[in-house]
């Protein structure tokens, strides 16, 4: 009965073109890598040029980070053995939290503390459920990441969703809110569009309405702002009302996440957030690798990598703008985005999928993102760039797109 039901549901997804297939990377995360399809063991892996990872600074396979992981495993072993509140919290985790807090300290003039989590998904569940009690209203942007949406659903708080980046609508909701605690919740950089939240206006609103501002900076941290401090530093924001969630598997190139906020908020999360309590602490070696990554990312090499990424972003946007001008009938458009996430809007689901398929046949890996991940009628190619891409890599993408769009 269950199997029949699920088989039928799966068949339906396949017929609607919604079936997802995992491709198998046969090498480390990098722009150039061999890729195979599951079950195709007899086919040779196809060499691909990928524009889909979140390894924005090219640190995932950086020799110093890899070495810190190996050395960390020799020093601390493979697993942590328990959750943080039992015996799994080691010196390596402690050092990482302190290093993160020291790096980001300028954002909280009155002091703040960092707390590690297994993944960004868990950190967002933790934040939403531990802070979102029955005395609280969560105000969340409609385009927020799935982990924030899921967290808000699990929370006991009232949840109000506001249209994407509509500060005026949010302000009206805040004005009529009667709960004693109010949390504005937003992505710093939106993951499917690459655009920025109006963080300065959101923080001003938080201050005016006695609310707090939760920023999920998964795609801004390491990439934007002085010393890679992220979206908040990018617009020069600081203040006690900020609650930051940062992930360590994107620009950091490793795995994990953390929350940084006022020490009382962090202590509350440590004491009560179930997604942080009822789970085994990450392997200590990951914390050592992340600390090595942080050292690179916040220093001159990080600056050089951020500059390289910005050069690739400019090259891609100028190239795409020229391309779209040359093919006015192709239906594509290029929304504003100053980040590593560059969506090429196509609109029609089948056209977007066909374009991604033509690129794949030419050895380019660019995902087509379709509803329900993005709103109906806004299917797109989601191009993500990395400091590890060369000028020639981006030129190849532009050339291939030119011939694919012309068809
Ligand atoms: C990737 C992502 C997360 C989840 O982080 P993981 O560490 O991958 O679980 C949360 N929020 C946003 C905006 C993300 O892009």
């Amino acid at each position: 009965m269950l199997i029949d039901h699920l088989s039928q549901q799966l068949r339906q997804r396949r017929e609607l073109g919604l079936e997802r297939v995992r491709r198998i990377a046969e090498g480390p995360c990098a722009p150039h890598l061999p890729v195979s399809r599951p079950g195709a063991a007899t086919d040779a892996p196809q060499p691909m040029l990928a524009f889909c990872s979140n390894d924005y600074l090219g640190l995932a396979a950086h020799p110093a980070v890899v070495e810190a992981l190996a050395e960390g495993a020799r020093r601390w072993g493979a697993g942590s053995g328990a959750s943080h509140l039992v015996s799994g919290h080691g010196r390596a985790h402690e050092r990482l939290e302190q290093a993160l807090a020291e790096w980001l300290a300028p954002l909280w003039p009155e002091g703040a503390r960092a707390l590690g989590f297994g993944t960004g998904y868990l950190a967002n569940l933790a934040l939403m459920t531990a802070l979102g009690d029955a005395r609280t209203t969560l105000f969340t942007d409609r385009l927020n990441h799935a982990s924030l949406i899921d967290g808000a659903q699990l929370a006991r708080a009232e949840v109000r969703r506001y249209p994407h980046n509509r500060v005026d609508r949010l302000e009206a909701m805040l004005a009529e809110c009667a709960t004693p605690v109010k949390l504005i919740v937003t992505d710093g950089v939106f993951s499917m569009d690459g655009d920025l939240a109006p963080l300065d206006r959101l923080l001003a609103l938080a201050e005016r309405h006695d609310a707090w501002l939760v920023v999920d900076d998964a795609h801004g941290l390491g990439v934007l702002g002085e010393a890679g401090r992220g979206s908040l530093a990018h617009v020069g924001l600081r203040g006690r009302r900020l609650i930051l969630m940062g992930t360590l598997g994107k620009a950091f190139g490793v795995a994990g996440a953390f929350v940084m906020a006022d020490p009382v908020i962090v202590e509350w999360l440590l004491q009560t957030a179930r997604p942080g309590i009822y789970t085994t602490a990450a392997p200590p070696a990951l914390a050592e690798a992340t600390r090595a990554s942080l050292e690179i990312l916040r220093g001159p090499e990080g600056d050089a990598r951020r500059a390289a990424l910005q050069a690739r972003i400019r090259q891609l946007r100028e190239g795409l703008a020229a391309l779209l001008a040359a093919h006015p009938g192709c239906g594509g458009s290029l929304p504003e985005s100053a980040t590593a996430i560059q969506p090429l809007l196509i609109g029609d689901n089948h056209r977007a999928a066909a374009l991604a398929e033509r690129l794949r046949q030419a050895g380019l890996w660019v995902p087509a993102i379709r509803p329900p991940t993005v709103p109906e009628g806004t299917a797109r190619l989601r191009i993500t760039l990395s400091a590890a891409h060369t000028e020639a890599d981006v030129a190849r993408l532009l050339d291939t797109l030119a011939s694919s769009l012309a068809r």
Side-chain angles (χ1 to χ4, degrees):
M1 187 51 212
L2 174 65
I3 299 296
D4 288 348
H5 171 69
L6 296 181
S7 303
Q8 196 237 326
Q9 296 283 310
L10 286 169
R11 204 174 318 117
Q12 200 177 354
R13 294 178 77 93
R14 207 170 303 132
E15 283 159 8
L16 290 171
L18 293 176
E19 185 183 46
R20 312 286 299 261
V21 189
R22 299 186 302 181
R23 307 202 185 271
I24 302 166
E26 304 280 5
C29 175
H32 294 269
L33 80 172
V35 177
S36 4
R37 292 175 67 91
T42 48
D43 300 354
Q46 189 189 3
M48 295 291 264
L49 170 55
F51 290 91
C52 37
S53 93
N54 305 311
D55 181 25
Y56 301 128
L57 297 183
L59 294 179
H62 191 291
V65 178
V66 174
E67 183 49 35
L69 183 64
E71 182 53 34
R74 281 189 288 272
R75 172 82 174 80
W76 304 109
S80 69
S83 63
H84 282 278
L85 289 180
V86 180
S87 61
H89 186 68
R91 178 54 64 193
H93 301 109
E94 188 69 19
R95 280 197 192 119
L96 173 60
E97 287 178 355
Q98 280 166 6
L100 290 166
E102 191 233 315
W103 170 52
L104 294 171
L107 303 188
W108 285 266
E110 285 142 289
R113 180 178 160 196
L115 180 67
F117 286 91
T119 68
Y121 189 92
L122 287 174
N124 278 340
L125 291 195
L127 269 173
M128 295 299 99
T129 55
L131 299 180
D133 63 9
R135 308 162 60 245
T136 302
T137 304
L138 301 171
F139 299 89
T140 90
D141 189 291
R142 281 198 181 276
L143 294 191
N144 276 348
H145 190 260
S147 54
L148 288 171
I149 295 170
D150 293 359
Q153 232 157 36
L154 277 175
R156 295 218 231 153
E158 188 178 333
V159 180
R160 307 279 320 260
R161 297 171 76 203
Y162 59 91
H164 180 50
N165 281 350
R166 287 290 298 273
V167 177
D168 56 329
R169 300 285 290 277
L170 169 62
E171 172 140 49
M173 290 180 184
L174 281 163
E176 66 188 29
C177 172
T179 57
V181 183
K182 306 172 188 71
L183 256 56
I184 302 167
V185 182
T186 185
D187 284 14
V189 175
F190 286 88
S191 47
M192 291 302 141
D193 297 78
D195 60 332
L196 298 168
L199 293 172
D200 48 350
R201 288 188 289 152
L202 293 177
L203 184 60
L205 266 193
E207 277 160 2
R208 200 147 65 237
H209 291 270
D210 188 21
W212 296 78
L213 179 60
V214 178
V215 179
D216 172 344
D217 209 17
H219 302 284
L221 209 70
V223 173
L224 299 172
E226 197 201 345
R229 291 193 187 97
S231 305
L232 292 162
H234 180 66
V235 283
L237 292 184
R238 55 215 317 255
R240 184 163 186 220
R241 289 178 182 275
L242 296 172
I243 300 171
L244 173 70
M245 198 292 290
T247 58
L248 304 170
K250 288 173 179 159
F252 276 81
V254 189
F258 67 98
V259 169
M260 183 141 162
D262 181 278
V264 175
I265 293 177
V266 168
E267 184 63 21
W268 179 253
L269 295 176
L270 191 157
Q271 296 295 330
T272 70
R274 298 166 67 90
I277 296 173
Y278 297 105
T279 190
T280 302
L286 285 180
E288 299 287 33
T290 307
R291 209 151 50 85
S293 174
L294 172 60
E295 279 316 303
I296 297 165
L297 173 156
R298 66 187 290 188
E301 187 177 342
D303 289 338
R305 285 170 182 262
R306 279 183 285 279
L309 174 60
Q310 287 304 326
R312 295 291 84 78
I313 293 170
R314 275 195 304 278
Q315 181 193 356
L316 179 75
R317 287 192 67 85
E318 284 168 17
L320 282 178
L323 227 160
L324 293 173
H327 302 282
C330 77
S333 68
L334 182 65
E336 205 47 56
S337 162
T339 69
I341 301 169
Q342 295 290 332
L344 177 60
L345 277 194
I346 304 296
D348 179 72
N349 296 349
H350 294 289
R351 264 183 61 88
L355 193 52
E357 178 55 24
R358 282 203 288 275
L359 292 177
R360 193 189 65 75
Q361 283 167 7
L364 294 174
W365 192 359
V366 184
I369 312 280
R370 284 156 287 178
T373 307
V374 292
E376 209 59 56
T378 70
R380 65 198 64 187
L381 293 184
R382 180 177 182 268
I383 303 166
T384 56
L385 294 170
S386 163
H389 285 119
T390 62
E391 196 174 342
D393 291 337
V394 175
R396 187 174 148 204
L397 172 61
L398 287 166
D399 286 346
T400 315
L401 273 171
S403 51
S404 306
L405 277 173
R407 278 208 266 159

